[in-house]
Every structure is written in structure tokens, then in C-alpha cells.
């Protein structure tokens, strides 16, 4: 029996999207938000491009982007599917811990709280960590260079977004956030 890995991966992303849609309604009101045009150009457009590159394609088999970076082995596809689910569940856990302070865009919330528990003990931006892991898992299961390119584009977009978030958090929380930055890496525990 062959595992329906494509469906397992799609289910992981669907769980993520449904959870995000349901929980988006209970966020606190914003007191400061990044302008729409900047948000679109710096974050949403690269996220869309990266997502399109990672999605399943038909056609264009002769394209450089369709070349494989790993052989088409079941073990790698299974590992990719596991990484998708691990990333999605990590992002959901982080979103749940963040609670009403969460926002899909860079914002400072009314009565904003600095959250340092749960996955925020290990990384300052665990939602991005989880999503990048899920993107990489999707790319690994797909095995084509376009998936890695899409993951890299999303990663760069997240990096620019987190830099702005961190600047605003330093302004909001001062030395407390600076101390948090010194003891907790941004995306990968102990590395980055």
C-alpha cells in the first residue's frame, strides 16, 4: 500500500489555514500597523510567489525549476510530510500561546504583552520557524529546486518582517525585549 503523501501534506496545510482563519477573529485591536502597500510588497507578494513555487505543478518538465535536488525516494517524501506536520503543529502551538496578541501583519496591539513561554522560550518567532519547516518539508517531498527557491523567498520575506517586528517590540518593551533577544535566537534555537 502506498501512502497518499500529497494528501497528507495538503491536509497539514489545510489544518493550518483553518486554524488561522478561525483564530484570526479574536485578536486585540491594533494601535500601530505597517502601511498596506509596504506590507503587500515586502511580505504578501513574496509569500504568494514562494507559495506558488512550492505548490504542485503540471507541465514545464524541461524547466530548470523542475529539476530535482533529491532523488524521488519514498523515505524523503515521508520525511517531508512529517516536517510539514511538525512545522504546522509548532506554528499552531505558537499561535495559541500568543493568544490575542497575534496579528498576520506587523502591529503593536492594545495592551500588548511580551510572550516568552511555550515555543517562545526557544525562538522569538516560532510561527515563522514552524512555517519555514512546513515549507521546507513540502519542498523536500516535492524534491524539485522550485520548492527550495520558494522556501528561500518565504524565508527572506519572514526575515524582513521579523526585523520590523523586533524594532517595534524594542520600542514597546525596551530593555526587557533586548534581554529576550540576547538569550533567545530569532528562528533556530542556538543558531539564528
Amino acid at each position: 500500500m502506498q501512502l497518499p503523501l500529497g494528501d497528507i501534506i495538503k491536509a497539514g496545510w489545510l489544518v493550518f489555514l483553518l486554524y488561522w482563519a478561525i483564530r484570526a477573529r479574536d485578536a486585540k485591536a491594533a494601535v500601530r500597523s505597517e502601511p498596506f502597500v509596504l506590507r503587500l510588497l515586502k511580505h504578501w507578494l513574496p509569500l504568494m510567489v514562494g507559495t506558488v513555487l512550492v505548490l504542485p505543478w503540471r507541465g514545464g518538465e524541461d524547466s530548470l525549476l523542475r529539476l530535482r535536488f533529491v532523488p524521488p525516494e519514498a523515505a524523503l517524501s515521508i520525511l517531508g510530510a512529517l516536517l510539514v506536520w511538525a512545522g504546522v503543529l509548532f506554528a499552531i502551538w505558537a499561535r495559541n500561546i500568543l493568544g490575542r496578541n497575534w496579528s498576520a501583519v506587523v502591529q503593536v496591539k492594545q495592551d500588548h504583552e511580551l510572550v516568552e513561554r511555550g515555543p517562545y522560550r526557544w525562538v522569538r518567532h516560532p510561527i515563522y520557524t514552524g512555517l519555514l519547516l512546513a515549507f521546507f518539508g513540502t519542498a523536500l517531498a516535492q524534491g524539485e529546486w522550485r520548492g527550495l527557491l520558494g522556501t528561500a523567498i518565504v524565508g527572506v520575506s519572514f526575515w524582513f518582517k521579523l526585523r520590523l517586528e523586533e524594532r517595534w517590540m524594542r520600542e514597546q518593551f525596551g530593555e526587557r525585549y533586548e534581554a529576550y533577544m540576547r538569550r533567545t535566537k530569532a528562528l533556530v534555537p542556538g543558531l539564528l
Side-chain angles (χ1 to χ4, degrees), residues 6-17:
D7 291 339
I8 291 169
I9 290 169
K10 287 177 194 170
W13 284 109
L14 183 61
V15 165
F16 166 77
L17 290 172

Side-chain angles (χ1 to χ4, degrees), residues 116-183:
E116 300 178 63
R117 65 188 182 284
Y120 292 89
R121 287 179 298 210
W122 302 309
V123 289
R124 297 189 308 269
H125 302 276
I127 293 173
Y128 299 157
T129 299
L131 290 177
L132 286 171
L133 186 61
F135 267 94
F136 177 73
T138 305
L140 181 62
Q142 171 202 97
E144 298 175 358
W145 282 104
R146 65 188 175 87
L148 286 183
L149 178 61
T151 302
I153 290 169
V154 169
V156 169
S157 172
F158 285 169
W159 186 257
F160 282 116
K161 190 175 177 187
L162 76 82
R163 301 286 299 212
L164 178 60
E165 287 175 359
E166 296 204 325
R167 187 171 76 225
W168 287 12
M169 292 298 102
R170 284 192 311 267
E171 291 171 8
Q172 181 75 15
F173 297 106
E175 176 53 35
R176 185 170 169 214
Y177 196 80
E178 294 281 348
Y180 178 52
M181 289 178 71
R182 284 191 296 274
R183 71 178 174 274

